[in-house]
């Protein structure tokens, strides 16, 4: 049995704990999934952001050496399929940001998006200039990171200072050499 002089202490403690819990729940965020399968973070003030996703829909079960996602300096994700950029994300605290969407993107977060006037390809995302091969439209360079392709198989053979070798017999990835600081490379 609780002594009468301890009841105010326990009552005060329970009131304090319930206040802390209710304050935490007011400022909590909720995760949700949109109708098209994208993950978002919902905030109590009515704002929301896309949650970063490293997976792309329809991902093949076997790596083909032609599809890759690049994470550059924890601030930009670029997905390349068959040498062409199919998607990109500007990152902020591991969240995928969108901003000022009016037709073509002009700005995402602090990153301005610049397009080539004639081809309408993206030629710059923030500090990362994107160079394309004139004949094939494949990406040759993103920022300071060159991207090269094997002449015979058309598979990616180099990203930055990282080199990829494939088997002559079955064309599967056999060896990765080198390292490119600030770049995370994921084939899919």
């Amino acid at each position: 049995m609780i002594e009468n002089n301890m009841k105010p202490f326990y009552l005060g403690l329970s009131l304090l704990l319930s206040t802390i819990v209710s304050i935490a729940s007011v400022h909590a965020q909720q995760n949700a999934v949109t109708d098209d399968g994208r993950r978002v973070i919902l905030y109590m003030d009515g704002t929301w952001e896309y949650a970063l996703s490293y997976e792309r829909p329809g991902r093949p079960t076997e790596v083909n050496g032609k599809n890759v996602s690049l994470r550059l300096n924890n601030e930009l994700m670029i997905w390349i399929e068959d040498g062409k950029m199919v998607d990109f994300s500007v990152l902020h605290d591991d969240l995928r940001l969108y901003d000022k969407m009016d037709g073509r993107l002009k700005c995402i977060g602090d990153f301005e998006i610049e397009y080539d006037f004639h081809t309408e390809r993206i030629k710059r995302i923030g500090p990362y200039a994107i160079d394309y091969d004139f004949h094939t439209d494949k990406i040759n360079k993103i920022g300071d990171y060159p991207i090269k392709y094997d002449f015979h198989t058309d598979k990616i053979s180099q990203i930055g200072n990282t080199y990829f070798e494939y088997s002559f017999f079955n064309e599967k990835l056999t060896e990765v050499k080198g390292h490119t600081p600030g770049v995370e490379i994921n084939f899919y």
Side-chain angles (χ1 to χ4, degrees):
M1 178 167 238
I2 300 176
E3 296 180 26
N4 285 339
N5 60 355
M6 293 298 287
K7 283 184 183 180
F9 171 76
Y10 287 115
L11 182 61
L13 181 62
S14 63
L15 183 61
L16 177 66
L17 290 175
S18 64
T19 303
I20 290 172
V21 169
S22 66
I23 289 172
S25 66
V26 167
H27 295 289
Q29 61 190 31
Q30 291 184 327
N31 294 319
V33 178
T34 63
D35 291 339
D36 61 358
R38 292 183 285 179
R39 295 180 321 178
V40 295
I41 299 172
L42 306 173
Y43 298 99
M44 295 303 289
D45 64 359
T47 61
W48 61 276
E49 293 179 295
Y50 283 108
L52 176 65
S53 173
Y54 295 104
E55 301 291 323
R56 290 195 44 78
R59 186 173 172 172
T61 56
E62 187 172 310
V63 172
N64 68 9
K66 296 181 179 183
N67 302 337
V68 67
S69 68
L70 302 174
R71 184 177 178 125
L72 306 175
N73 300 311
N74 289 324
E75 60 187 7
L76 181 65
M77 285 284 293
I78 294 181
W79 285 269
I80 299 172
E81 294 180 1
D82 293 319
K84 301 196 174 40
M85 180 175 18
V86 294
D87 198 5
F88 72 94
S89 298
V90 173
L91 307 176
H92 178 71
D93 294 333
D94 272 344
L95 295 174
R96 184 176 180 171
L97 302 181
Y98 288 100
D99 194 13
K100 299 182 185 174
M101 293 181 70
D102 181 27
R104 294 189 309 179
L105 296 172
K106 296 178 181 143
C107 183
I108 300 178
D110 294 334
F111 281 34
E112 290 186 17
I113 312 300
E114 189 177 333
Y115 297 85
D116 182 89
F117 178 74
H118 299 289
T119 64
E120 295 193 9
R121 292 182 302 210
I122 295 174
K123 68 178 189 178
R124 178 176 296 280
I125 304 172
Y128 300 96
I130 301 172
D131 295 327
Y132 299 86
D133 180 86
F134 179 75
H135 299 290
T136 66
D137 266 354
K138 290 185 176 190
I139 295 175
N140 283 337
K141 191 174 185 182
I142 300 173
D144 294 330
Y145 310 108
I147 299 175
K148 296 189 179 175
Y149 305 88
D150 181 76
F151 178 74
H152 298 289
T153 65
D154 220 22
K155 294 178 183 245
I156 296 171
S157 60
Q158 177 186 353
I159 299 173
N161 295 323
T162 308
Y163 299 86
F164 308 95
E165 293 182 8
Y166 301 90
S167 168
F168 177 76
F169 299 105
N170 62 16
E171 296 186 358
K172 291 187 177 184
L173 183 64
T174 57
E175 190 170 359
V176 178
K177 295 180 182 177
H179 175 70
T180 306
V183 178
E184 180 182 314
I185 302 167
N186 293 300
F187 280 97
Y188 62 93

